[in-house]
Amino acid sequence: MTELKNFISSYASFNEAELNDIVSRFKERTIAKNDFLLREGTVCQDLVFVREGCLRLYYLDEDVEISVWFAFPNSSAIDIYSFISDKPSKYFLQAIEDSTILYLPKAELTMLYAEYPTMQEMMRKFWEDAVLNLIDRFTALQRDSAEKRYLDLMSKPPYLQKIPQKYLASFIGVTPTSLSRIRKGIR
């Protein structure tokens, strides 16, 4: 649970007893490769922290899967819009390898807000961080070339290279064939 404590503490300060109580509210779950945590049409009810493995958030566009986010160990995975609005998701959240997650149901988070007002500050900073990441991603898709987006992605930690090429291609906004050409041009 040290990683989860570090994640929470990166957004707000809690004393040890508070932090232990907050972390104890998370439940653990193992997800097999290709299993889903969220499907289109269902409401996202959990704040998810990835302990091990990798998750992918994607949507379907005319039966083509478009990857929009990858969640690696010590990061979160969530459909922000569905979680906040309580509206059905337009996304799928899937394990792309065997994964272990810690999750906090929204109802439990709401109780933590009442018990620990600092939890509201923590989540505000978490949402701000998520929004900034989304803006960066949107801007890169609009401004940067596919080659630059690929190079930026490859500069991330090495576990990104475990992601299947078809998922990487959709994430940077190209076809798998175009990604192959980009990769050949870089070598």
Side-chain angles (χ1 to χ4, degrees), residues 53-123:
C54 183
L55 307 179
R56 173 177 74 118
L57 187 68
Y58 72 94
Y59 66 93
L60 291 174
D61 183 22
E62 297 179 16
D63 294 327
V64 175
E65 295 178 3
I66 309 296
S67 300
V68 295
W69 199 256
F70 297 104
F72 297 102
N74 306 320
S75 70
S76 64
I78 190 168
D79 173 352
I80 297 169
Y81 182 84
S82 178
F83 186 84
I84 293 173
S85 70
D86 285 321
K87 293 183 178 175
S89 179
K90 296 178 183 176
Y91 296 94
F92 296 86
L93 184 58
Q94 180 183 38
I96 61 173
E97 62 184 20
D98 291 343
S99 301
T100 303
I101 63 158
L102 300 171
Y103 67 97
L104 182 70
K106 187 175 183 178
E108 193 72 37
L109 178 62
T110 301
M111 288 191 285
L112 285 171
Y113 287 159
E115 290 177 52
Y116 305 112
T118 305
M119 194 68 187
Q120 292 181 42
E121 174 191 347
M122 181 266 168
M123 288 305 297

